[in-house]
Structures are given as C-alpha cells and as structure tokens.
Amino acid sequence: GRDLRYQYVNRKVADYVGVPAEKIIGGQDEQFFDPQTAERLHENDRRVLEHGERVAREEVNRTLAGGETRSFLSVKIPLRDTRGEIYALCGISTDITEHREIQNELHRLAFYDPLTTLPNRRLMLDRLSHALASHAETGFEGALLIVDLDNFKTLNDSQGHERGDQLLRQVGERLGEGLRPTDTLGRLGADEFLLMLEDLSLDTERAMVQARDTAEAVLTRLDGPFDLDGASYVTTASIGVALFSDARGDVDTLLKGVDLALSSAKSAGRQSLRFFNQQMQVEINRRTRIEAALRRAINEDRIELHLQPQFDLQSRIIGLEALARWQDAELGQVSPADFIPVAELSGLIVPLGQRILERSCELLRKWQQMPGLRGLSLAVNISPEQFRHPGFVDDLRDLISREGIDPGLLELEITESLLIDDLENTISRMEQLRELGIRFSLDDFGTGYASLGYLKRLPLYQLKIDQSFVSDLLTDSNDAAIVRTIIALGDSLDLRVLAEGVEQEAQFLRLDEMGCKLFQGFHFGRPKPVDEWERLLGEGMD
Ligand code: C2E
Ligand code: CA
Ligand code: CA
C-alpha cells in the first residue's frame, strides 16, 4: 500500500529474510532489511508509487535477521485502479546471486592470474593501452618494468613445481609492497612480472631517474631469503625498463622494448637492470656513477669552494661568488655543470647545499676579522630543490644567528626555474629571508621563463645578465638588444644589474657604455680557492 506495507509475499522472500510470510504481511522494509537496503527499497517504491515509473534494476540487499547479502534483479510496477490511480505496487525480484558469482569468477579467471591473484597478461595489456593513451594526452611520462627471476628454472627442475609456485606467490607479494597508487603490478607468465609506473615526471630525464630508483628498490626488495616449506631460499631478479615515450603509443613496441632491455640485463649478469633506450642507458650509467661518488664526497666533506670576484666600474671588488668544486679520486675533476644536476635529481642537493651555506657563513664570520675582506658580500647558488626543502628557511636563520654574521652580506642566487610552480609559497619564503636582511639575486636572467609580471612581486636585489648574452654581445645585435633591455628593466624596477661571463676588455667597454655598473668574468678574475683570496685581499688592502 501507500504506506509501504507488504500485502503479499511469497515463500522465497520469507525464506530469504528469515521471517514467516504471515509475519511479513503488514510489515515494512525496516523490519526485515538493514537500514541502507531499506532506504534504497523505499526510494524505488516512491518512484513507482508517486511518479508511476516502472523500475527495473539490479540490487544487492542485506537482511536484518541473518545479515545475508544477495543480488537481485528487481522489477517494480505500479498497480492502478479503474480510474487509473495508483493504489499499490507489485515487485518481482529474481535472485541472481549465483549467476553473479559465476560471472565474477569468470572475470577473475579471464583477467587475473590464479597463482598470485595479480592481473594477468590480458588485463595488463589492456591497462597498458589505457596508460599509453593517457600519456599521449597529458604528457606525463610512464615506464614499464619487466622483472624476471634469475635461475628460476633451476629451482623448478631441482625442487619441483610446488616450491616454484610458492616462490612466485611470495615474489608477487614482495613486489606488491611499497607500490604507489599509480603503479600497476601484474604477472606476465612463468617467472615474469610486469610493473607499470604512471604519472612520472613530465621531464624525461627526471622520469628516467624515477624509473631507475623504482627498479633498484625492486631489486633490493627481492634481495633476502624466501621461506619455501621452512627452507630458506635466496634468489635475485633482472629488470628491463622502457619509458612510454620509447613506444610511440604502441603497446607491442613497448613490450618488445622491455624484452630487449631484459635480455641485455640478463647478459650483463644477475641482478642487473637495463634500459631499452641506449642513450638513456648511457645517461643512467653516468648518473649512477656520479651519484655514488658524490654521496661519498658529501659524507666525507670533500666538496670545496672556489670564489670568483665581482667588480664595480672603479675595478673595486664588491663581493665574491661561491662555486662548488669537486676533485674525485676516481672520476677526476668533475664540473658542477655535471654534478649539480645529478645532485638535484637525487636529493643530494639538500645536504650538499646546506654544507655550502655553512661553509659560506663560516667564511663571512672569519672575514669580519680581516680588514681586506670585511664588508665583501658572498653570493651562494641555491637550487630550487634546496630552496623548497621544508627546513630551508629555519636552518638558514639558525645558521646566521649561530655564526653571528651580517645577513646583508649573504646573497642567495636563485634562478627563474624556481618561479615556475608554487610561486606564492616561493615569494613568502623569500620574504621571510628578506626580512632577515638576506639579498636575492636572479641568476642566468633572460634564459628562463621571463614573465615581467612576477619580477615586480619578488623581493629581489639584483639581476645577473646571463653569460650567453654577454659572450655574443659584440657580434649579435639581438643579444645586444636583450642586454640593453635588462639594464633598462633593472633601472625601472630599482634593481642592481650585474653582467657575468665578461671575458674581454671590449665586452666590458660595451657594457659600460650601455650603463651596466657591475661585472663578473674571466676578464676580471677566475674562480680561485678560498685561501688564495684570503692571502691576496687579506694582505693587499690592510
Ligand atoms: P653559475 O651560477 O651561472 O656560475 C657561473 C659559471 O660561469 C661558473 O661555472 C663560473 O666558473 C663560470 N664563469 C665565470 N666567469 C666566466 C667567464 O668569463 N667565461 C666563462 N665561459 N665562464 C665563466 P662553474 O663554476 O662551472 O659552475 C657552473 C654552474 O654550476 C653554476 O653556474 C651554477 O649554476 C652551478 N653551481 C656551481 N656551484 C654551485 C653551488 O654551490 N650550488 C648550486 N646549487 N649550484 C652551483
Ligand atoms: Ca651563480
Ligand atoms: Ca649564472
């Protein structure tokens, strides 16, 4: 009826809800079903009774008595009297629970590997093609890793398939630990697993490092004994890696790619990892070598500082820029242009940069006692990753008060790349440091995403004209125009402008003519070790 009371039920319904039919009649859904189910049933009933709709849908109902959940195909139609008014509804529910269970089971069998319960080859291929399509749309890089156990066949042959299966199950579990929500793990067959990484960086280089780090983590995770029937068993794996961009949108190409990479990993020996793309492999090797050596060098505090002077129009030194130098026993002299990018991607830039700041503040403190050096500013390069690190502002504040130095002599050189994302947060951090008295200099100016809008909003002190413009100043009229523009911009925004990379007298004269007042470059002085400057300036001017 209209008050949603049962007027008739059959035996099956009575059996399901666990209440005799005569007790159901006159009752309401709340008495027989859990609250959510009852609510949904009412909603359907109202659609039928109030709007005259015929409702047909699949529903999952739960009873109050036994708490049993079953699936139904439920059809409800309005019953009308002779005048066409709805006076009740008739509902017919078909129990399709078994049917659903069979369907789910078929789905599971078709798309999941029964041994490990991971997605099987078919499902992985499907997910891959979706992932490649979304990569093509968004540009976010992705990677496919194929993980293959070393010497699995030996175990299978010598100890039997039962043990082999146990190992595969446990490998599947270990691989599943530590996955990000955007990672998909599946089993390709035999002892081969696929790991798909989505939403890596937009930047291929960075994505490559992310894929390498994940692959290394996988190798580490598998490195440790498995328990097969109480016996300890040790195994290793090899990994082939291909990036989505290697595949040009084609799943087959991607799979062939990782297969090729895997074979070269196999021939390199157990527990290896190889990229499909040869250039990437070369690049990864280089980075991995530098990274390992750099980590040691930082731990042993072997990164040195050289200082390059900055001059005014009267050829007086107004300050020095600190530049990192690394002489490695194995790698020889490594240029910061090579190791700083590696440090940035690996996170090593945080301890390295902190150490360089500490050294720089120690120098400023020491120079307070040296008349020839007292009052000179010291410029320190700060990478975006370092600047964004949560502890940066507090650590620097502590450091300055610990050393008791004049913060006005510390200049932080930042680049435009810092301003690409999270500009608000960057500005607020810059302002906190500016309030302490620290100065900011915008390095390599003119090479980045020059948006004049943000320049006004940043608490800047100085623009550094990038050396590429200075080097072609005399021969390229475009570069000359850019230099002139930057100088004018500095004037109008009330910022100091310094030209770097000045190598020739003629460049200096031209810059002077254009109104530039500050200079840095080989023409004025090369970067030299700290003690040389202390000897030169400490004596000469006192
Ligand atoms: P940068 O900050 O633009 O530093 C100027 C670079 O130009 C230095 O190279 C310097 O030796 C070089 N240079 C100076 N005058 C001249 C010149 O007249 N002609 C030419 N051709 N080059 C000149 P360096 O020391 O190899 O450093 C390269 C880059 O590495 C730096 O560029 C900076 O981006 C980065 N870097 C160096 N030290 C550090 C550091 O401590 N922290 C961070 N985050 N980056 C650093
Ligand atoms: Ca610099
Ligand atoms: Ca620069």
Side-chain angles (χ1 to χ4, degrees):
R2 282 227 169 252
D3 53 355
L4 303 178
R5 288 181 188 280
Y6 283 93
Q7 293 175 345
Y8 171 79
V9 288
N10 65 19
R11 171 41 105 347
K12 278 211 151 159
V13 174
D15 284 350
Y16 172 50
V17 300
V19 178
E22 17 351 317
K23 294 218 171 136
I24 298 182
I25 290 167
Q28 291 177 306
D29 287 327
E30 289 79 3
Q31 297 166 250
F32 315 115
F33 295 100
D34 84 339
Q36 276 136 323
T37 302
E39 168 132 357
R40 230 178 332 96
L41 292 171
H42 282 316
E43 188 193 307
N44 284 347
D45 291 348
R46 250 174 261 119
R47 280 169 62 187
V48 178
L49 292 172
E50 287 164 22
H51 305 288
E53 285 177 47
R54 301 167 62 103
V55 176
R57 58 199 268 176
E58 194 178 319
E59 51 195 30
V60 178
N61 296 338
R62 179 192 285 273
T63 62
L64 260 190
E68 197 191 353
T69 301
R70 298 190 73 84
S71 302
F72 295 90
L73 185 63
S74 165
V75 179
K76 285 179 178 167
I77 54 170
L79 299 178
R80 296 175 192 271
D81 61 20
T82 46
R83 286 172 314 171
E85 300 282 335
I86 298 170
Y87 69 92
L89 66 77
C90 171
I92 301 161
S93 289
T94 313
D95 188 333
I96 54 166
T97 309
E98 276 77 28
H99 173 74
R100 266 275 157 263
E101 278 167 1
I102 290 170
Q103 267 192 335
N104 289 343
E105 181 61 14
L106 284 175
H107 176 82
R108 216 172 51 73
L109 287 173
F111 293 106
Y112 290 86
D113 165 46
L115 181 64
T116 59
T117 71
L118 292 171
N120 65 12
R121 178 189 183 90
R122 190 165 152 201
L123 182 53
M124 283 307 282
L125 293 190
D126 185 53
R127 300 246 167 108
L128 264 177
S129 75
H130 285 290
L132 283 183
S134 106
H135 158 71
E137 213 167 276
T138 64
F140 284 98
E141 188 60 275
L144 185 64
L145 278 59
I146 185 165
V147 182
D148 182 295
L149 298 183
D150 299 324
N151 306 324
F152 178 68
K153 203 173 166 318
T154 318
L155 170 77
N156 240 0
D157 292 348
S158 64
Q159 303 200 27
H161 287 253
E162 171 53 27
R163 288 262 172 105
D165 285 355
Q166 281 187 32
L167 179 66
L168 292 175
R169 254 196 303 269
Q170 292 180 37
V171 165
E173 280 165 20
R174 278 205 202 167
L175 290 177
E177 289 161 15
L179 292 189
R180 304 171 313 151
T182 46
D183 299 342
T184 312
L185 175 67
R187 179 166 173 233
L188 198 53
D191 59 336
E192 290 185 333
F193 293 83
L194 281 183
L195 181 55
M196 177 173 88
L197 314 178
E198 284 185 89
D199 278 334
L200 300 179
S201 176
L202 283 168
D203 174 58
T204 310
E205 192 111 323
R206 188 175 285 254
M208 180 179 87
V209 171
Q210 292 173 319
R212 181 206 58 187
D213 290 349
T214 307
E216 276 178 352
V218 164
L219 291 179
T220 312
R221 209 169 299 142
L222 295 180
D223 195 9
F226 292 86
D227 178 2
L228 306 182
D229 286 334
S232 161
Y233 181 81
V234 180
T235 186
T236 53
S238 300
I239 301 184
V241 185
L243 293 197
F244 284 6
S245 55
D246 289 331
R248 288 180 197 81
D250 182 42
V251 174
D252 277 345
T253 311
L254 192 60
L255 284 170
K256 287 208 188 85
V258 288
D259 265 341
L260 277 172
L262 179 62
S263 358
S264 69
K266 287 277 177 194
S267 49
R270 47 195 355 241
Q271 225 173 356
S272 303
L273 112 84
R274 285 290 178 276
F275 277 73
F276 161 65
N277 187 315
Q278 287 305 302
Q279 270 162 291
M280 284 186 193
Q281 186 59 47
V282 170
E283 177 58 18
I284 278 289
N285 289 346
R286 187 186 72 87
R287 279 181 180 274
T288 306
R289 223 175 27 243
I290 294 180
E291 208 178 294
L294 182 62
R295 180 165 282 124
R296 278 194 304 274
I298 294 170
N299 285 338
E300 294 162 13
D301 205 14
R302 283 192 278 107
I303 305 294
E304 301 284 331
L305 285 188
H306 279 202
L307 304 175
Q308 186 176 30
Q310 301 175 333
F311 284 81
D312 66 9
L313 271 174
Q314 286 75 42
S315 294
R316 282 181 306 215
I317 295 185
I318 53 153
L320 295 146
E321 177 177 0
L323 294 160
R325 291 291 176 269
W326 174 28
Q327 171 75 40
D328 188 74
E330 273 169 44
L331 301 174
Q333 180 81 36
V334 189
S335 160
D338 289 325
F339 72 80
I340 294 290
V342 171
E344 287 174 342
L345 276 194
S346 60
L348 286 174
I349 194 68
V350 173
L352 173 61
Q354 175 64 13
R355 191 65 197 109
I356 288 171
L357 272 172
E358 285 166 8
R359 291 262 193 92
S360 303
C361 291
E362 284 159 21
L363 287 181
L364 282 173
R365 187 198 55 203
K366 188 172 162 204
W367 293 349
Q368 288 174 347
Q369 320 301 327
M370 304 173 76
L373 285 144
R374 188 187 299 148
L376 290 188
S377 63
L378 184 57
V380 181
N381 293 285
I382 306 291
S383 293
E385 288 75 8
Q386 183 191 357
F387 188 84
R388 293 202 187 102
H389 191 74
F392 183 75
V393 172
D394 289 338
D395 288 351
L396 187 51
R397 190 186 287 122
D398 290 350
L399 182 59
I400 285 170
S401 70
R402 190 164 6 117
E403 296 294 340
I405 56 166
D406 173 4
L409 296 178
L410 184 63
E411 217 170 274
L412 302 187
E413 295 200 357
I414 57 169
T415 55
E416 288 166 89
S417 57
L418 177 60
L419 310 170
I420 297 173
D421 31 61
D422 210 2
L423 185 62
E424 295 311 317
N425 190 25
T426 299
I427 293 179
S428 107
R429 288 180 152 223
M430 285 177 73
E431 264 158 6
Q432 291 174 49
L433 294 168
R434 182 74 198 90
E435 274 160 29
L436 293 181
I438 292 172
R439 295 164 168 181
F440 284 97
S441 180
L442 195 51
D443 206 356
D444 307 340
F445 186 63
T447 59
Y449 301 75
S451 144
L452 300 182
Y454 63 60
L455 277 187
K456 274 199 300 203
R457 302 189 47 210
L458 298 175
L460 286 175
Y461 174 73
Q462 172 175 278
L463 303 177
K464 287 185 91 170
I465 304 175
D466 187 65
Q467 42 184 287
S468 61
F469 305 120
V470 174
S471 79
D472 294 340
L473 177 67
L474 302 173
T475 50
D476 185 329
S477 59
N478 281 329
D479 284 352
I482 290 172
V483 169
R484 201 172 283 118
T485 308
I486 295 176
I487 293 169
L489 192 66
D491 276 346
S492 68
L493 292 175
D494 209 15
L495 298 174
R496 260 182 24 170
V497 176
L498 180 147
E500 65 175 338
V502 183
E503 295 180 347
Q504 306 158 18
E505 174 80 10
Q507 289 168 339
F508 161 64
L509 293 174
R510 187 65 179 278
L511 285 161
D512 178 13
E513 229 173 73
M514 289 174 152
C516 187
K517 300 188 183 70
L518 300 166
F519 313 89
Q520 182 179 346
F522 294 168
H523 175 65
F524 293 90
R526 291 187 175 252
K528 286 187 202 136
V530 172
D531 47 359
E532 269 188 51
W533 286 111
E534 290 180 344
R535 225 180 18 248
L536 265 164
L537 299 174
E539 288 166 5
M541 291 175 127
D542 204 17

